[in-house]
């Protein structure tokens, strides 16, 4: 099978809708060659992330958790801080990553995602 490239234009669309489209494409569900246990040669490019439609309420309410492994090591980062520090690109990457199944293929699928401002 030859490599497929999906380009998703994020301008004027919401964060979840774009991430959902990207996650489905990365898993291969938009392809006729879909197999659950194989990473298909599909690349997904998301463009115009700066033009996403995100409400102020969503930005204020969103948060991201991570755990350092130490006692009392749970760290919370608000979406507002994430956008200031790492731009919308990282917010989009984390959103798509949350929609990919947690298995051995996840890392390989996420390598095939590119996001551009």
């Amino acid at each position: 099978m030859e490599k497929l490239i999906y380009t998703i234009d994020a301008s004027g669309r919401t964060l979840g809708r774009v991430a959902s489209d990207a996650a489905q494409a990365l898993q291969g569900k938009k392809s006729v060659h879909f197999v659950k246990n194989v990473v298909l040669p599909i690349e997904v490019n998301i463009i115009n992330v700066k033009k996403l439609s995100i409400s102020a309420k969503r930005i204020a309410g969103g948060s991201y958790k991570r755990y350092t492994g130490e006692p009392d090591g749970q760290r919370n980062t608000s979406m507002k801080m994430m956008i200031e520090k790492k731009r919308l690109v990282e917010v989009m990457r984390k959103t798509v990553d949350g929609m990919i199944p947690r298995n051995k293929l996840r890392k390989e699928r996420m390598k095939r995602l590119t996001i551009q401002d």
Side-chain angles (χ1 to χ4, degrees):
M1 185 181 147
E2 61 188 51
K3 184 192 289 188
L4 292 172
I5 299 174
Y6 287 102
T7 303
I8 300 172
D9 187 8
S11 57
R13 297 179 66 194
T14 60
L15 178 68
R17 303 246 181 204
V18 174
S20 176
D21 284 349
Q24 285 180 353
L26 284 171
Q27 291 176 59
K29 291 189 173 185
K30 292 187 174 192
S31 173
V32 295
H33 303 288
F34 172 69
V35 182
K36 201 185 311 188
N37 62 339
V38 176
V39 178
L40 298 176
I42 295 173
E43 288 188 13
V44 177
N45 299 326
I46 302 176
I47 57 172
N48 295 328
V49 176
K50 285 183 193 173
K51 299 177 185 175
L52 269 174
S53 174
I54 303 177
S55 66
K57 184 177 179 181
R58 173 77 171 110
I59 291 173
S63 67
Y64 298 94
K65 294 179 184 174
R66 65 185 181 88
Y67 182 62
T68 64
E70 298 287 324
D72 194 35
Q74 186 172 358
R75 304 288 182 250
N76 291 321
T77 307
S78 67
M79 183 184 279
K80 186 176 181 180
M81 289 297 293
M82 183 78 78
I83 290 171
E84 288 173 7
K85 287 184 178 181
K86 298 185 180 179
R87 304 185 336 252
L88 275 169
V89 173
E90 188 63 26
V91 172
M92 177 61 74
R93 185 174 311 283
K94 283 192 166 287
T95 306
V96 173
D97 189 49
M99 294 183 180
I100 301 287
R102 280 108 180 125
N103 56 27
K104 293 180 180 181
L105 306 177
R106 184 182 202 174
K107 194 174 194 180
E108 192 62 37
R109 286 177 174 154
M110 286 304 293
K111 285 181 187 176
R112 297 169 189 261
L113 175 68
T114 56
I115 303 171
Q116 301 168 358
D117 282 338

